[in-house]
Amino acid sequence: MARLAIIGGTGVYDPSLLTETETLTVATPYGEMTCILGKYGAKEVVFMTRHGADHSIPPHRINYRANIYGLKKLGVGAVIATTAVGSLRREYRPGELVITDQLLDFTKTRAHTFFDGAPLPVAHVDMTEPYCPVLRELLLQAARKLGLPFQERGTYVCTEGPRFETGGEVAMYARLGGDIVGMTNAPECPLAREAEMAYATVSLVTNYGAGISPQPLTHAEVVEAMNENTKNLQRLLQEVLTAYDPAMESPAHHALREYGGFEVVK
Ligand code: HPA
């Protein structure tokens, strides 16, 4: 029976959905990660805040490998991540949720793989469909049931940050097929695949990207939009937690079959 994990992004720091919570620090070959283990009804759920409980870790300094490895070590089989994003086109409006289905990785400096040479094999994991279709379906059903404003698909462009994009970059990303832009889904999503965990993201559009919006962008604006919409996100997560079946199967669980599976060092 696999546990579900929620990785809370900007504005999602509240594990109050869970009962019987305890804070855990997990040692991994990449450093320690801290998270909360709790219960949602009878289901065991792990909650972690990507930027730290006090939002002190910028996107390019997050220890993505420790976070994902730590979740794997705790027996997590499925990860639902939340992210704040900017919109690259008018059709994706601030306040809408996006059940992301594709990823374009424009990061530059991040430790982005577990397969970084010996003793691990040279491994190339399939990422044709970066987000788990089974988890995406859970998110879609929940968003429909609750009548939330949402987009069924969206291509997430991940930038290095921490600065926001130039107007030229926003125009370029849109031309390349991007719909939304954020700073964290790479390498979080590919690392989850390497670790054979199902992973899906629900992105909240907090603003129009630079150059689409007439005013300069501020982080305060992102946080404010996030706070205004946290209730919707919490309701969605609650619905997904209710629907999640710990026996859920995902193609991601066999992503490394060719290499004998992903081995966790205890
Ligand atoms: N760009 C990058 N990341 C973001 C944005 C943005 O406009 N809004 C929220 N996260």
Side-chain angles (χ1 to χ4, degrees):
M1 289 292 138
R3 288 170 169 164
L4 177 74
I6 292 171
I7 302 184
T10 298
V12 183
Y13 306 114
D14 184 6
S16 64
L17 293 175
L18 308 181
T19 59
E20 298 174 47
T21 53
E22 56 177 316
T23 301
L24 298 179
T25 298
V26 184
T28 82
Y30 309 96
E32 287 183 346
M33 64 82 92
T34 300
C35 60
I36 288 169
L37 176 63
K39 285 202 155 175
Y40 186 80
K43 294 173 204 170
E44 287 190 322
V45 176
V46 181
F47 179 85
M48 73 167 301
T49 51
R50 186 189 286 124
H51 298 278
D54 52 355
H55 200 104
S56 60
I57 313 170
H60 61 293
R61 293 236 169 247
I62 291 167
N63 192 342
Y64 295 96
R65 291 196 298 187
N67 289 350
I68 295 295
Y69 200 97
L71 294 180
K72 182 74 182 179
K73 220 173 147 179
L74 289 172
V76 168
V79 180
I80 300 282
T82 77
T83 61
V85 292
S87 164
L88 295 170
R89 51 186 90 248
R90 291 231 167 258
E91 305 88 285
Y92 286 70
R93 294 173 208 84
E96 284 181 340
L97 299 170
V98 184
I99 315 303
T100 312
D101 73 324
Q102 274 299 332
L103 175 65
L104 302 177
D105 180 2
F106 281 87
T107 61
K108 299 172 190 166
T109 67
R110 305 176 182 190
H112 62 285
T113 180
F114 292 118
F115 294 94
D116 208 15
L120 292 179
V122 174
H124 305 282
V125 80
D126 174 66
M127 286 291 286
T128 308
E129 210 173 353
Y131 300 95
C132 168
V134 186
L135 286 182
R136 283 192 71 252
E137 195 50 44
L138 277 186
L139 285 164
L140 288 168
Q141 280 175 11
R144 276 187 209 118
K145 185 169 166 191
L146 296 171
L148 299 176
F150 75 103
Q151 299 277 351
E152 296 212 1
R153 299 181 173 281
T155 294
Y156 181 116
V157 173
C158 192
T159 67
E160 183 64 21
R163 67 169 177 83
F164 288 122
E165 300 67 49
T166 66
E169 285 165 341
V170 163
M172 173 185 76
Y173 293 141
R175 249 179 264 139
L176 292 177
D179 299 308
I180 51 179
V181 58
M183 301 179 191
T184 55
N185 252 215
E188 195 172 88
C189 164
L191 284 170
R193 178 63 54 83
E194 285 189 347
E196 298 190 306
M197 290 189 289
Y199 179 99
T201 291
V202 52
S203 298
L204 178 87
V205 182
T206 53
N207 57 278
Y208 279 116
I212 300 179
S213 145
Q215 312 97 344
L217 260 179
T218 64
H219 180 61
E221 174 186 345
V222 170
V223 172
E224 194 185 313
M226 206 62 212
N227 291 342
E228 271 170 28
N229 292 283
T230 301
K231 278 230 154 43
N232 281 350
L233 209 44
Q234 294 274 4
R235 286 171 67 211
L236 185 80
L237 291 176
Q238 226 163 326
E239 195 61 42
V240 169
L241 285 166
T242 303
Y244 173 71
D245 175 359
M248 181 201 119
E249 283 287 332
S250 164
H253 295 157
H254 314 290
L256 284 182
R257 184 180 271 152
E258 200 180 342
Y259 305 99
F262 185 81
E263 209 175 312
V264 182
V265 181
K266 290 290 170 200

